[in-house]
Amino acid sequence: MSNTDFALAVEDLTVSFDGFKAIDSLNLYIDNNELRVIIGPNGAGKTTLLDLICGKTRASEGSIKFQNIELTKMAEHQRVRLGIGRKFQTPSIYENLSVFQNLEVSFPRGRSVFGALAFRCDEEVSERVRSVAGEIGLLERLQDEAGLLSHGQKQWLEIGMLLMQEPKLLMLDEPIAGMSARERELTAELLQRISRNRAVIVIEHDMDFVKQIAHKVTVMHQGKILAEGPMERVQSDPRVIDVYLGH
Ligand code: ADP
Ligand code: MG
C-alpha cells in the first residue's frame, strides 16, 4: 500500500521538550473513513500527537502527510483550510450566542477564487446550519442560548462547529468526559455517523465506549506505539494489560 492511499500517514515523528521525547519515532497510518481510537496511560503523548497533527506544536523530526500533503511546515490555519479539525478537551463555544449563531459563525469564509471574502447567501448558510444541527441532535435547540445546553450538548455543539467546515480529518480529545450514560450512547452514534464521510481520531479512556466505536485501536506508551489492531486483540495483549489495562 502506498502512502497516498491513507488519509493520514505519520512517519518517524519525534518531538522533544528540553531533551525529553514526548513523541518518539512514531509511525501511524489512518485510512479514509476510518474511526481510530488512541488509548494509553496519562503522559503517553496522546494529546501531544494531536497537537503535532493540527499544528499547535511543531515536530522536531519526521513527517506528517495528510492526503499525501506534507503538513509539518504548515501553520495551523493552513491545516484547517486543508480539512483538519481538532476538538480540544474543554468546549470553546460562545455561551451568550444561540446554537444557530454558534454554528453560523463557524461557516468557512474567504475561500472565493477571486481572493475576496466569499459571498454566502443566507439560505445556503442556514441550510447548512440546520443540516449540522440535525446531525448533532440540536435541531430543536437552534434558538436557545448555548449557555443553557447540558454539558454533553455543549460538546456536540462544538463538534457541530467543526462539522460546519466539513473537515476531512476530525480529531477529538476525550469527548465523553463528564457525559451522562445516555449522552455517551448518543455520542457513540454521532461519531459513527461522522466517520462515514471522513477519518476520525478519538482519544478516550472509557473502554466500553472504545469497544463500541473503534475500528482499530492504537495503544501509546512513552511517546511510542505499544500495540495496534482490533480491540479484542489489543485488549488481550500482555504488554497492554501491563502498562494500561491492568490498572
Ligand atoms: P497524554 O495526553 O497521553 O496524557 P501528553 O501528550 O499530554 O500525554 O503528554 C506527554 C508528555 O509530554 C508528558 O510527560 C507531558 O508532561 C509532556 N509535555 C506535553 N506538552 C509539553 C510541553 N509543551 N512542554 C513540555 N512537556 C510537555
Ligand atoms: Mg491528554
Side-chain angles (χ1 to χ4, degrees):
M1 210 170 175
S2 90
N3 283 353
T4 49
D5 299 324
F6 296 107
L8 185 77
V10 173
E11 293 185 323
D12 300 320
L13 188 66
T14 300
V15 68
S16 306
F17 298 119
D18 302 319
F20 166 72
K21 289 181 177 176
I23 298 291
D24 190 0
S25 308
L26 184 135
N27 294 316
L28 180 76
Y29 302 91
I30 310 283
D31 285 328
N32 289 302
N33 304 337
E34 178 178 355
L35 202 175
R36 175 73 60 94
V37 179
I38 300 179
I39 62 173
N42 283 329
K46 305 181 298 294
T47 298
T48 303
L49 176 61
L50 299 197
D51 290 345
L52 287 163
I53 296 169
C54 77
K56 185 169 175 261
T57 300
R58 288 305 175 94
S60 308
E61 281 171 61
S63 154
I64 304 170
K65 288 204 176 90
F66 172 65
Q67 293 174 336
N68 216 33
I69 300 167
E70 180 61 53
L71 297 184
T72 44
K73 302 279 185 298
M74 264 184 213
E76 206 168 349
H77 71 272
Q78 292 176 298
R79 302 186 202 200
V80 170
R81 230 178 281 150
L82 275 181
I84 295 179
R86 162 84 183 276
K87 186 189 172 311
F88 292 89
Q89 272 165 289
T90 42
S92 54
I93 58 168
Y94 303 100
E95 302 253 340
N96 298 322
L97 296 184
S98 69
V99 170
F100 185 96
Q101 289 166 325
N102 268 278
L103 293 171
E104 188 182 29
V105 297
S106 306
F107 194 94
R109 286 165 210 283
R111 280 184 180 174
S112 135
V113 284
F114 306 108
L117 268 190
F119 173 76
R120 306 289 190 179
C121 71
D122 292 349
E123 213 166 296
E124 184 190 356
V125 178
S126 168
E127 216 166 86
R128 181 86 148 274
V129 165
R130 298 184 65 81
S131 143
V132 167
E135 182 146 47
I136 59 176
L138 293 180
L139 205 44
E140 310 297 312
R141 305 297 303 270
L142 277 175
Q143 299 315 320
D144 293 342
E145 232 176 73
L148 297 174
L149 298 175
S150 74
H151 170 74
Q153 289 170 329
K154 287 179 185 171
Q155 301 282 338
W156 298 335
L157 177 55
E158 199 183 3
I159 292 173
M161 290 165 77
L162 291 164
L163 290 177
M164 287 298 291
Q165 324 238 359
E166 301 190 307
K168 295 281 172 293
L169 169 66
L170 189 60
M171 303 187 284
L172 306 106
D173 202 344
E174 304 189 19
I176 61 162
M179 281 190 183
S180 69
R182 180 64 185 144
E183 286 174 338
R184 286 168 187 232
E185 259 174 57
L186 292 170
T187 305
E189 290 169 18
L190 172 61
L191 295 185
Q192 280 161 336
R193 273 200 306 278
I194 286 174
S195 71
R196 279 188 212 136
N197 304 313
R198 58 181 61 80
V200 177
I201 303 177
V202 181
I203 294 175
E204 198 41 73
H205 286 292
D206 185 306
M207 282 308 129
D208 292 327
F209 186 77
V210 175
K211 259 179 246 178
Q212 217 178 324
I213 64 168
H215 298 168
K216 228 192 225 179
V217 178
T218 295
V219 188
M220 285 185 64
H221 181 50
Q222 298 179 339
K224 291 173 176 293
I225 287 176
L226 182 70
E228 193 166 87
M231 185 64 182
E232 313 81 63
R233 177 140 50 87
V234 160
Q235 226 177 351
S236 56
D237 186 323
R239 295 167 309 164
V240 176
I241 294 168
D242 188 39
V243 308
Y244 185 56
L245 295 175
H247 301 284

